[in-house]
């Protein structure tokens, strides 16, 4: 990661809405299937896909805005269209480490859904098209699913101090999974929660 400059003056950046490319960009991360094996429910489909390719699932780009007494960050995520078995490509999903940290997600390109769940299993989802904005309250894990046939791009606004916790989602997932059935996206109970 590049060194984050402290800058007390206004900063302007540019985002390409079709690709999520950030200019300037401070950090980039690519997630391929091998880095999120446990997130998909059809493990046989994961294994079969990995025999052929370590499929590129999504790309994250960040720009942190740090002043002497505040911090904000913008991130873009571009999720490729596709499925593992019948389950659509998605982000890993995480809780924030700090329990008072919300986040705002803004869908700018593509079609999909956002799922949110707290530690008690209270579950919500929102269907996304370009222009949809969702406020994710503190203590709700969040994951985005690309249910379309083109890349899905969204912009995330959060505090750098929020942090990430992936463990609970890695082990049990969200209460529901998004799969294709008869050519359409449907939300089904996750077998791990049945
Ligand atoms: C950070 C924010 C996003 C995600 C990104 C990838 O709080 O929610 O920038 O990090 O969408 O998702 P994940 O679950 O792989 O971190
Ligand atoms: Zn987050």
């Amino acid at each position: 990661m590049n060194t984050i400059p402290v800058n007390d003056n206004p900063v302007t950046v540019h985002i390409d809405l079709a690709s999520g490319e950030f200019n300037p960009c401070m950090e980039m991360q690519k997630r391929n299937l091998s880095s999120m094996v446990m997130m998909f429910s059809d493990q046989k489909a994961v294994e079969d896909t990995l025999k052929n390719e370590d499929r590129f699932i999504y790309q994250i780009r960040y720009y942190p805005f740090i002043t002497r007494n505040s911090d904000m960050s913008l991130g873009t995520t571009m999720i490729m269209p596709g499925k593992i078995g019948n389950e659509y490509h998605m982000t890993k999903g995480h809780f924030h480490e700090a329990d008072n940290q919300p986040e705002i997600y803004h869908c700018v390109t593509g079609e999909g859904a956002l799922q949110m769940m707290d530690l008690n299993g209270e579950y919500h989802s929102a269907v996304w098209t370009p222009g949809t904005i969702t406020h994710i309250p503190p203590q709700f894990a969040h994951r985005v699913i690309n249910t379309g046939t083109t890349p899905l791009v969204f912009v995330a606004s959060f505090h750098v101090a929020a942090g990430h916790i992936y463990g609970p989602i890695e082990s049990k997932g969200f209460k529901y999974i998004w799969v294709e059935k008869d050519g359409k996206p449907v939300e089904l109970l996750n077998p791990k929660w049945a």
Side-chain angles (χ1 to χ4, degrees):
M1 177 164 166
N2 301 333
T3 312
I4 302 170
V6 174
N7 185 349
D8 289 338
N9 289 311
V11 174
T12 300
V13 298
H14 182 261
I15 290 165
D16 180 79
L17 300 184
S19 66
E21 263 177 58
F22 225 123
N23 188 11
C25 181
M26 292 300 286
E27 193 184 359
M28 275 209 286
Q29 231 176 317
K30 266 190 173 183
R31 296 231 208 272
N32 287 53
L33 182 58
S34 62
S35 68
M36 51 186 301
V37 164
M38 294 313 293
M39 301 300 179
F40 289 97
S41 62
D42 185 343
Q43 286 294 301
K44 168 84 170 62
V46 170
E47 216 175 280
D48 290 347
T49 307
L50 283 174
K51 272 183 205 152
N52 295 319
E53 51 162 348
D54 186 7
R55 193 184 294 172
F56 166 52
I57 309 281
Y58 63 101
Q59 172 135 35
I60 317 164
R61 296 176 168 94
Y62 292 115
Y63 193 98
F65 302 90
I66 312 290
T67 72
R68 271 175 301 178
N69 51 20
S70 71
D71 75 82
M72 283 292 289
S73 187
L74 266 193
T76 64
T77 304
M78 189 273 291
I79 311 174
M80 296 297 286
K83 289 173 286 162
I84 302 295
N86 286 330
E87 192 173 8
Y88 292 103
H89 286 179
M90 59 195 180
T91 59
K92 283 178 81 168
H94 60 270
F95 285 92
H96 289 163
E97 210 172 330
D99 62 8
N100 63 349
Q101 291 294 321
E103 181 156 3
I104 291 175
Y105 274 4
H106 178 181
C107 174
V108 294
T109 298
E111 288 169 23
L114 165 66
Q115 47 185 192
M116 294 159 282
M117 187 181 71
D118 75 8
L119 278 172
N120 301 316
E122 163 87 19
Y123 179 85
H124 298 260
S125 62
V127 171
W128 272 15
T129 54
T132 309
I133 295 171
T134 307
H135 172 250
I136 303 158
Q139 300 179 32
F140 272 84
H142 35 290
R143 162 184 285 166
V144 176
I145 298 125
N146 183 349
T147 58
T149 53
T150 57
L152 180 150
V153 178
F154 67 95
V155 180
S157 177
F158 55 100
H159 288 290
V160 179
H164 298 85
I165 294 180
Y166 292 96
I169 301 299
E170 240 152 24
S171 54
K172 217 166 166 222
F174 283 76
K175 226 173 190 173
Y176 293 88
I177 55 175
W178 282 77
V179 297
E180 185 183 82
K181 206 173 169 207
D182 303 326
K184 287 196 179 132
V186 291
E187 214 174 7
L188 299 182
L189 187 64
N190 182 348
K192 285 186 185 169
W193 282 78

